[in-house]
Amino acid sequence: MEKILSVEKINTYYGKSHILFDVSLDIYKNEVLCLLGRNGAGKTTTFKSIVMLNPPASGKVIFNGKCLNEFKPYQIFRLGIGLVPEDRRIFGPLTVKENLMLGARVGRKGIWNLDMVYKYFPILKEYESKPGGMLSGGEQQMLTIARTLMGNPEVLLLDEPSEGLSPVMVNTLKEIVLGLKEAGATIVLSEQHVKFAMAVSDRVSIIDKGHIVYEASIEEFKKDLEIQKKYLAV
Ligand code: ATP
């Protein structure tokens, strides 16, 4: 397996609050890794540290052999890491298609373009002329993921994608994540939703109070009921 991204013992602070403690993660090409943890465990902070929105005070983030610590978030996006934030920032007055086109990057090669996005997200094709703001929360979530894909990232970071979605939408999202993996994507997602994580992930890492406390294949994790109870309140 080819390692594409590694987080090496990062420590991240908000002011004087120490939030991440020696957090390490390895991400391999074409896998889905799930960072599981309760509210406030440090999932969003980990993602923000990977793309240098909250640069770590120590430790390194290495992407395709390149250390990202000295790069700005927009440069990291151009290098090929796409973050879909928890708070779904779409442009409400712009149409779905315009929102999607904003994510496209001229000159970047890859499989994702409008046609491909519409194939994987048929609902967006149907609504392409509607203002993004008129879509439901779940549809907006699809739009933010699709918009990020339009930039052909090599690694897609999805921050709690199932949060606030109806069970039907969670199912659709599951199909989409599995479809993206099938299409060759490398995905890191953060979740509290254990069932969803189990349905889409190859491996899991659990973060608790800013520490990585567990790493396993999904098969191992499914059997580890004690761990699920201890860290994830299932
Ligand atoms: P959630 O599901 O609630 O988003 P999370 O696992 O993503 O949880 P983070 O958002 O990374 O957790 O938060 C980790 C810790 O950092 C929490 O204790 C939180 O209160 C704190 N924190 C997050 N953002 C800030 C901030 N801007 N300033 C200070 N502390 C923050």
Side-chain angles (χ1 to χ4, degrees), residues 13-15 17-20 35-48 54 86 159-160 163 190-192 207 209-210:
Y13 295 75
Y14 289 115
S17 309
H18 194 168
I19 305 294
L20 300 183
L35 183 61
L36 276 166
R38 294 192 179 109
N39 258 336
K43 304 181 294 296
T44 299
T45 307
T46 301
F47 281 2
K48 285 185 172 169
N54 275 119
E86 213 175 348
D159 197 4
E160 296 206 39
E163 205 199 2
S190 85
E191 270 301 331
Q192 304 193 32
I207 186 164
K209 301 188 189 85

Side-chain angles (χ1 to χ4, degrees), residues 107-229:
R108 180 149 181 108
K109 290 204 182 88
I111 61 168
W112 296 101
N113 53 33
L114 260 191
D115 286 344
M116 185 77 171
V117 157
Y118 286 156
K119 184 174 151 205
Y120 280 83
F121 302 82
I123 193 84
L124 299 181
K125 168 78 179 150
E126 197 179 318
Y127 293 161
E128 70 174 351
S129 307
K130 269 196 184 184
M134 282 178 63
L135 269 52
S136 72
E139 291 157 358
Q140 289 187 13
Q141 178 70 291
M142 303 301 158
L143 180 54
T144 48
I145 295 172
R147 187 181 58 197
T148 306
L149 286 170
M150 288 289 287
N152 276 298
E154 262 183 80
V155 176
L156 187 63
L157 307 178
L158 297 177
D159 197 4
E160 296 206 39
S162 76
E163 205 199 2
L165 299 190
S166 68
V168 174
M169 267 298 177
V170 170
N171 233 357
T172 308
L173 182 69
K174 186 177 106 186
E175 297 306 320
I176 283 171
V177 171
L178 292 173
L180 298 182
K181 181 176 149 64
E182 201 58 41
T186 304
I187 299 173
V188 189
L189 60 114
S190 85
E191 270 301 331
Q192 304 193 32
H193 194 317
V194 174
K195 256 191 173 167
F196 176 75
M198 283 181 180
V200 299
S201 311
D202 299 307
R203 291 192 298 126
V204 298
S205 289
I206 298 179
I207 186 164
D208 187 56
K209 301 188 189 85
H211 298 263
I212 299 290
V213 291
Y214 178 84
E215 290 178 293
S217 69
I218 200 69
E219 293 78 20
E220 240 175 283
F221 173 65
K222 279 181 184 168
K223 287 186 252 161
D224 232 331
L225 302 179
E226 278 303 307
I227 286 285
Q228 294 175 36
K229 224 187 286 171

Side-chain angles (χ1 to χ4, degrees), residues 70-87:
E70 300 309 318
F71 287 90
K72 301 276 178 231
Y74 73 90
Q75 295 171 314
I76 292 171
F77 172 66
R78 283 187 194 156
L79 283 172
I81 300 182
L83 168 64
V84 180
E86 213 175 348
D87 53 3

Side-chain angles (χ1 to χ4, degrees), residues 1-5 25-33 155 185-187 202-203:
M1 286 200 298
E2 188 185 334
K3 202 197 284 185
I4 183 164
L5 179 66
L25 297 169
D26 284 322
I27 294 104
Y28 296 88
K29 213 173 170 65
N30 196 211
E31 74 165 350
V32 180
L33 172 71
V155 176
T186 304
I187 299 173
D202 299 307
R203 291 192 298 126

